Amino acid sequence: MSVLPRDQVDTRARDIRCLFLDIDGVLTDGHLYIGPHGEETKTNFVRDGYGIKLALRQGLELAVISGRPSEAMRKRLEWLGIRHIALDTEDKEPAYLRMRDAMGLTDAQCAHIGDDVPDVPLLRRVGLAMTVADAHDSARAVAHWISRHDGGRGAVREAIDLILAAQDRLPR
Ligand SMILES: [Mg+2]
């Protein structure tokens, strides 16, 4: 698999009903700030948050699967309106399959945006495999599409805009 010409990306994007998101390195820039008691803090990008709300309002479902636990992140994702959230998930594929089936979707109707080795099984499976500009080579090698923006810096917004635009659902 390798990056596809834009018209083929748009063709795949037209079928997408749910975009699965990775957190670290995709919704965040991948940095973890470790406090004196071991507590983790990470940054979120407001433009991505707006894109998430926009996607849900326009009928594009969103799901999040992350290998790390984070109650603060769960709160923000729930506040943004995301209902499908699996955190602290070492192996992402079973969580993906469970959510996909619960939504009654096929792989061709799912997109995933992830940036590293744990995302590769999902990227190989979904109809539209997306990664970020500063992704690890493992994710780049199997992606259909690579964002211009880095993770935590607008990559998720770019992916949402692409899918909504392909479906003629991006408000002007
Ligand atoms: Mg990641």
Side-chain angles (χ1 to χ4, degrees), residues 22 24-25 115 119:
D22 174 30
D24 295 299
D115 72 322
D119 299 292

Side-chain angles (χ1 to χ4, degrees), residues 2-169:
S2 63
V3 170
L4 294 174
R6 183 53 191 257
D7 60 321
Q8 291 182 35
V9 169
D10 285 339
T11 300
R12 286 169 176 264
R14 276 195 277 279
D15 290 331
I16 300 305
R17 295 294 167 263
C18 181
L19 171 61
F20 287 75
L21 306 165
D22 174 30
I23 293 181
D24 295 299
V26 173
L27 273 170
T28 80
D29 60 10
H31 287 96
L32 293 176
Y33 300 89
I34 313 296
H37 306 293
E39 70 276 21
E40 291 179 359
T41 310
K42 22 188 146 182
T43 58
N44 273 240
F45 198 64
V46 168
R47 229 157 51 213
D48 287 339
Y50 184 83
I52 286 170
K53 292 200 135 183
L54 175 69
L56 294 169
R57 201 184 320 136
Q58 296 299 98
L60 175 65
E61 196 57 83
L62 296 171
V64 173
I65 304 176
S66 173
R68 302 187 69 82
S70 171
E71 278 316 303
M73 187 58 87
R74 178 185 295 280
K75 281 203 185 87
R76 171 159 171 83
L77 296 172
E78 286 174 350
W79 179 81
L80 287 169
I82 298 181
R83 293 176 300 129
H84 306 277
I85 302 170
L87 306 183
D88 205 2
T89 302
E90 197 65 31
D91 185 357
K92 293 190 178 191
E93 201 168 11
Y96 163 77
L97 294 173
R98 193 162 15 87
M99 290 176 169
R100 182 203 66 184
D101 292 346
M103 288 184 265
L105 300 177
T106 64
D107 286 331
Q109 294 174 310
C110 295
H112 177 61
I113 180 164
D115 72 322
D116 210 338
V117 170
D119 299 292
V120 169
L122 270 56
L123 293 171
R124 285 190 185 281
R125 200 178 248 288
V126 294
L128 183 57
M130 312 176 97
T131 196
V132 298
D134 57 339
H136 185 259
D137 286 346
S138 59
R140 297 180 71 93
V142 294
H144 296 130
W145 177 86
I146 301 174
S147 65
R148 284 184 300 109
H149 296 85
D150 285 346
R153 299 243 160 222
V156 168
R157 178 64 174 279
E158 197 182 330
I160 287 170
D161 284 355
L162 183 155
I163 293 170
L164 291 180
Q167 299 179 358
D168 227 8
R169 289 199 280 182

